């Protein structure tokens, strides 16, 4: 089987994009996605993204497989890459300010191309109830804000936010000192998160500048996480630590995040095409 792909990244969070506009099912199985994402035996990526036909009044459907083959509901860096990818497929000019209506498992998401090459995404509303995260740390109709959680022999104060996918956010003094590789998996697989969780550690530099490191569900340490940056801003506002607009600095670079008065999250950041190729197996 031979399939063409294009490799993109958003702040070093890297994806294999597949033109899947002509069939309703992803061209790869989750097992094939694991192989393609492998950095030694495959192409190498944090996930595979399929640009599928639209449904329910949308232009396209996005589906994504993590590098472990699991399927998340949404992907913030990935949807910026997806918007650039479909614009290229359509032959849009580089300066087009096209907005796309993209159907995802987290609902309707609206990326807009910017003339400077960045992409601004209307990420929709955050979900805060425990049943929506999902988490069993508190009662289903309660929020998880500054909640004590025992992980790796320590008690952390966590705040949970869903951007369609689950996030568990902890504010720390020094983000560089967090032993992410050791404790990330223990948060991800904590029994309080039945769908597992993405895990972010945040250092507040100022009310509008946050420094973040992430352990992603199904992908491990990555250089950036768009849904995580949005969830982090919400957690910062809920706990009185930051303003409703901030720069979030990730290992791969910065995202601009805004939580509007209508409660929608807007994320602006780059999406970079790297190379294209053909995978044979
Ligand atoms: O929720 C999950 O399982 C994540 N690993 C999905 C990917 C999130 C991503 N890093 C982002 O930018 O939102 C792509």
């Amino acid at each position: 089987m031979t399939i063409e792909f294009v490799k993109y990244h958003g702040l070093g969070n890297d994806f294999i994009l597949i033109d899947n506009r002509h069939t309703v099912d992803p061209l790869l199985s989750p097992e094939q996605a694991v192989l393609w994402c492998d950095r030694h035996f495959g192409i190498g990526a944090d996930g595979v993204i399929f640009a599928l036909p639209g449904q329910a009044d949308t232009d396209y459907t996005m589906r994504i497989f993590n590098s472990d083959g699991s399927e998340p509901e949404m992907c913030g860096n990935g949807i910026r890459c997806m918007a650039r990818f479909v614009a290229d497929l359509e032959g849009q000019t580089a300066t087009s300010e096209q907005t796309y209506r993209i159907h995802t498992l987290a609902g309707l998401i609206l990326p807009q191309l910017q003339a400077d090459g960045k992409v601004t995404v209307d990420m929709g509303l955050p979900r805060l109830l425990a049943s929506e995260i999902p988490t069993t740390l508190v009662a289903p109709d309660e929020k998880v804000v500054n909640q004590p959680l025992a992980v790796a022999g320590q008690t952390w104060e966590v705040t949970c936010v869903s951007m369609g996918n689950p996030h568990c956010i902890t504010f720390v003094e020094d983000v560089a000192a967090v032993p992410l590789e050791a404790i990330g998996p223990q948060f991800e697989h904590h029994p309080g998160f039945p769908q597992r969780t993405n895990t972010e550690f945040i250092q507040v530099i100022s009310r509008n500048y946050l420094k973040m490191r992430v352990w992603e569900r199904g992908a491990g340490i990555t250089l950036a996480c768009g849904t995580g940056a949005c969830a982090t801003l919400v957690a910062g506002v809920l706990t009185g630590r930051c303003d409703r607009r901030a720069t979030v600095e990730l290992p791969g670079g910065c995202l601009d995040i805004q939580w509007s008065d209508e409660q929608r999250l807007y994320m602006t950041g780059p999406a970079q095409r790297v190379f294209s190729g053909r995978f044979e197996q």
Side-chain angles (χ1 to χ4, degrees):
M1 183 180 63
T2 301
I3 297 181
E4 293 188 356
F5 67 88
V6 185
K7 184 77 194 294
Y8 280 78
H9 77 88
L11 300 178
N13 191 194
D14 59 342
F15 303 99
I16 298 161
L17 275 289
I18 296 184
D19 178 3
N20 212 135
R21 290 175 297 168
H22 306 295
T23 49
V24 293
D25 292 317
L27 290 173
L28 300 187
S29 67
E31 294 73 29
Q32 287 171 313
V34 172
L35 173 64
W36 285 40
C37 286
D38 190 286
R39 295 190 188 279
H40 302 287
F41 294 93
I43 299 159
D46 293 325
V48 180
I49 292 174
F50 305 90
L52 295 145
Q55 46 185 289
D57 201 25
T58 59
D59 300 314
Y60 297 99
T61 298
M62 177 176 84
R63 286 185 62 187
I64 163 172
F65 293 147
N66 285 317
S67 54
D68 76 349
S70 60
E71 180 170 14
E73 302 79 356
M74 232 309 266
C75 174
N77 289 319
I79 204 150
R80 296 198 313 278
C81 295
M82 161 106 176
R84 282 279 161 217
F85 178 60
V86 295
D88 278 355
L89 292 177
E90 292 176 356
Q92 299 276 349
T93 60
T95 54
S96 147
E97 295 195 358
Q98 178 82 27
T99 297
Y100 290 105
R101 296 170 60 81
I102 312 267
H103 177 78
T104 73
L105 294 179
L108 175 66
I109 308 287
L110 304 164
Q112 185 186 20
L113 306 179
Q114 305 295 322
D116 65 1
K118 290 189 176 178
V119 182
T120 295
V121 187
D122 176 344
M123 300 278 283
L125 304 171
R127 291 99 158 149
L128 302 176
L129 300 182
S131 59
E132 299 173 305
I133 305 293
T135 176
T136 55
L137 294 179
V138 297
D141 58 347
E142 287 177 12
K143 296 175 187 169
V144 181
V145 178
N146 286 335
Q147 175 78 21
L149 180 69
V151 175
Q154 224 178 305
T155 301
W156 309 80
E157 262 194 16
V158 305
T159 298
C160 295
V161 176
S162 168
M163 289 303 304
N165 55 352
H167 294 273
C168 175
I169 293 125
T170 306
F171 292 90
V172 295
E173 285 288 307
D174 178 7
V175 82
V178 173
L180 198 53
E181 195 136 15
I183 63 175
Q186 299 188 48
F187 278 84
E188 178 183 357
H189 296 281
H190 189 282
F193 299 104
Q195 301 291 328
R196 303 189 282 153
T197 188
N198 296 289
T199 303
E200 287 85 13
F201 294 92
I202 315 299
Q203 183 176 346
V204 178
I205 306 295
S206 75
R207 290 193 66 81
N208 52 26
Y209 199 99
L210 309 173
K211 230 171 155 172
M212 161 177 157
R213 289 175 70 206
V214 56
W215 176 270
E216 273 191 41
R217 176 181 67 169
I221 293 178
T222 60
L223 296 179
C225 179
T227 50
C230 291
T232 290
L233 184 86
V234 171
V237 171
L238 292 177
T239 59
R241 291 178 165 99
C242 72
D243 297 339
R244 294 179 75 94
R245 181 166 193 170
T247 298
V248 179
E249 181 193 314
L250 302 122
C254 291
L255 291 171
D256 174 59
I257 312 290
Q258 190 175 358
W259 194 12
S260 74
D261 294 339
E262 301 78 47
Q263 310 306 325
R264 307 185 77 80
L265 267 303
Y266 292 89
M267 168 191 68
T268 301
Q272 181 69 46
R273 186 184 169 110
V274 192
F275 63 89
S276 62
R278 202 173 288 129
F279 195 87
E280 281 130 32
Q281 57 180 15

